[in-house]
Structure formats: C-alpha cells, structure tokens
Amino acid sequence: MGEVSEVRRAELVSGLGRVRARVSDACAAAGRSPSRVTLVVVTKTYPLPDIRALASLGVRDVGEAREQELRDKCSELGEAVGLRWHVVGRLQRNKARSVGRLAHVVHSVDDERLLPRLSAGAEEVGRELGCFVQVSLDGDPTRGGVTHAGLLPLAEQVAATPPLRLLGVMAVAPMGADPDEAFTRLQELSSRVVLEHPAAVGISAGMSGDLEQAVAHGATHLRVGAAVLGSRSPTG
Ligand SMILES: *Cc1c(COP(=O)(O)O)cnc(C)c1O
C-alpha cells in the first residue's frame, strides 16, 4: 500500500518518458501514427505503489504474467484507477477462468482447451475479452505459442467463441534471433490471419530490447517492463 517515494516516482517518470520517446521515434521512422501503438507496461513482480504511480502518469494498460499476482493486484486496486489488465504469460488451464474474469486482454492464447474457461470467466463479468493467439516463431514449445500450422485453426476457434474477441497475433522474438527477421515472419503470419479475419489486425510484439524493430514491422501492442520500471530485483 501507500505511495512511492519521490526518488522512485522520478525513476518511473524518466523510464516512462524514455520509452514513450523511443516509441514515438520508432513510429516516426516507420511512418506510423503513435496513436496506433498501445504501450502495455508489464508490471509483473513490481509492487502496487509502482502501478498506482504509473496510473497517475497516464498509463492505462498494464500487463501481468501470473494469475495469482493478477488477482492480488486487481483486488487491491479495484476498478477505481481505470486500468486495463493484460495477461502476457503462459496460461494454466485451471487458472483460465479466473483470468477470463479479471483480464481485459490476453496475449498468450495458445491452446484451444483454454477457450471454454476464458470465455466462461469473461461471461461472468459480462464483458468481451480481447485475445491474441501466441505463435512460436522458432517452434520451441517450452516458451509457449502454437506452431505456424496451428495458428489459423486456433484463430478460427477464438473468433467462434464469444465473448472472446480475436485481436490478432502475438510472439516473443526467439532467444538469440534477429528481431527484425522474427517480426518480419510475425507480420507475414498476421497478414494470413487478417485475410480470414479482417478485424484481427493486432500484432503484439516488442519488449524492452526490441520495441523499435517491432514497431517497424507493424506492432500494435508493445509489452515493455524493465525499460520503464528498471531491473527486477530477485525478490520482486
Ligand atoms: C516479462 C514479459 C515482457 C516484458 O519484458 P521486459 O524485458 O521487462 O520488457 C513482455 N512479454 C512477455 C511475454 C513477458 O513475459
């Protein structure tokens, strides 16, 4: 509880300012409008006062990775601060209903078996749940994401499961890969999804280290933690 120190507030102001400037420079370089790019500040492991301070600095979209932490933070903050909660981490099936209830957007949908639970949770609170289908760009299943071949079938299933709403595709650049190449591939996969689902133009890509490349390749949602909030301490 409580407020952040003056020092911490100044850190957040400058972190957020730096990232916003990077996003607007990247948009200018790509000839894109910054209004088409949503900055999701990934607050996982950071404490509530940081989130309150971010909200007071105009942040509306925040991301969490784990259901338990999402649940704790949502119940502490309530709806009052007007935040939109994004889930960016790997989903466990037995937590999916709760995530469906709490989240506004889920970036990491990668298994059809999550869908009935996510939709049941969203239905309970009477709202739409935006969904990105996460795709694995290097075929390594341990980091989440469907294969390229699995993308269109899962997108189809999301689109057919109201109140889930298919927003588009998501990926994490593979470790050690060239982010330009990775996000080029993601953009190609996105255009295949958009052919079948014209409204699903979202591309969730780009983190602290590669947001410029993501913007250059059409990202509509950036998921940025450390570059705004500073390095995570081991104890969170
Ligand atoms: C933690 C996380 C992020 C944010 O990463 P940073 O390096 O802190 O910017 C983005 N996407 C996913 C899927 C994450 O788990």
Side-chain angles (χ1 to χ4, degrees):
M1 292 300 279
E3 301 214 337
V4 291
S5 67
E6 282 305 310
V7 172
R8 181 59 176 153
R9 191 175 167 86
E11 277 172 7
L12 294 173
V13 168
S14 75
L16 195 57
R18 274 195 309 270
V19 168
R20 284 176 172 158
R22 283 175 63 191
V23 174
S24 78
D25 288 351
C27 285
R32 300 184 55 204
S33 163
S35 67
R36 298 299 189 83
V37 179
T38 300
L39 175 63
V40 178
V41 179
V42 179
T43 50
K44 66 182 182 204
T45 75
Y46 292 97
L48 281 170
D50 281 355
I51 302 180
R52 277 201 203 88
L54 289 169
S56 77
L57 297 171
V59 169
R60 283 292 160 265
D61 294 274
V62 292
E64 288 291 331
R66 293 172 51 243
E67 182 270 345
Q68 169 87 54
E69 191 173 349
L70 173 70
R71 189 150 39 88
D72 291 346
K73 286 175 171 173
C74 284
S75 74
E76 288 287 338
L77 287 170
E79 305 270 319
V81 284
L83 291 169
R84 291 169 51 78
W85 295 91
H86 297 245
V87 168
V88 302
R90 196 115 204 236
L91 295 166
Q92 286 175 275
R93 231 181 303 156
N94 62 351
K95 304 286 174 59
R97 187 177 183 123
S98 170
V99 166
R101 223 171 7 235
L102 298 167
H104 298 82
V105 180
V106 177
H107 293 242
S108 42
V109 176
D110 66 353
D111 185 337
E112 63 180 332
R113 293 170 298 182
L114 296 164
L115 305 184
R117 296 175 193 217
L118 288 171
S119 66
E123 216 148 72
E124 269 180 63
V125 291
R127 75 180 168 221
E128 217 173 55
L129 177 62
C131 293
F132 289 95
V133 174
Q134 182 177 354
V135 60
S136 168
L137 294 175
D138 61 357
D140 174 2
T142 61
R143 300 181 70 213
V146 291
T147 60
H148 294 195
L151 175 59
L152 281 173
L154 185 55
E156 185 61 48
Q157 281 174 302
V158 171
T161 312
L164 305 185
R165 186 151 79 92
L166 179 67
L167 296 180
V169 296
M170 178 277 215
V172 178
M175 218 90 78
D178 175 355
D180 262 316
E181 279 171 30
F183 296 143
T184 300
R185 219 173 322 149
L186 182 61
Q187 199 168 23
E188 287 163 9
L189 292 167
S190 163
S191 57
R192 286 193 230 162
V193 170
V194 172
L195 276 179
E196 313 264 333
H197 306 279
V201 295
I203 300 180
S204 169
M207 303 173 30
S208 291
D210 55 21
L211 69 87
E212 284 82 2
Q213 290 92 336
V215 168
H217 296 289
T220 60
H221 290 69
L222 306 172
R223 310 178 310 269
V224 180
V228 171
L229 288 139
S231 302
R232 290 182 182 83
S233 66
T235 54

